[in-house]
Amino acid sequence: MGEAEARQAARDRAWAIGEKLAAAGGGEARLTTVPGGYRVELHLGGPAPDELGVLEALALGDRWGHRRSPPSRNGGVARETVWSEVREPSG
């Protein structure tokens, strides 16, 4: 596989994660570029409709994580974001 094809495969994989994450999390996933790849984020306004599905979608990436902003910073509302990253091939 050439470099262009490998980059397209990484992007396609990130989009697939985004679709699964949005479906399981009940929101709109956002795809952004980061140095060396792509990041998919989903902002949660409460418990996800399919929490196991969210975890399964996140695990499809090369790195994943979770951020929580406490209610004291957001007018009494906790904000949570889950994310998954897909790395492009280095070459």
Side-chain angles (χ1 to χ4, degrees):
M1 179 183 304
E3 186 175 333
E5 292 87 6
R7 285 189 170 170
Q8 184 62 46
R11 185 176 174 89
D12 291 346
R13 192 168 129 218
W15 276 113
I17 291 169
E19 289 172 1
K20 291 175 190 241
L21 195 55
E28 185 175 330
R30 187 178 80 169
L31 176 69
T32 58
T33 58
V34 294
Y38 302 94
R39 178 181 275 222
V40 181
E41 291 185 342
L42 176 68
H43 300 283
L44 299 169
D50 178 4
E51 292 179 359
L52 181 58
V54 167
L55 294 174
E56 289 172 344
L58 293 174
L60 296 172
D62 300 316
R63 284 178 16 134
W64 54 90
H66 170 265
R67 283 191 318 263
R68 182 175 189 277
S69 182
S72 61
R73 291 186 170 174
N74 300 299
V77 178
R79 296 187 189 264
E80 298 189 65
T81 302
V82 293
W83 57 269
S84 182
E85 288 183 355
V86 174
R87 310 310 298 168
E88 287 184 336
S90 56

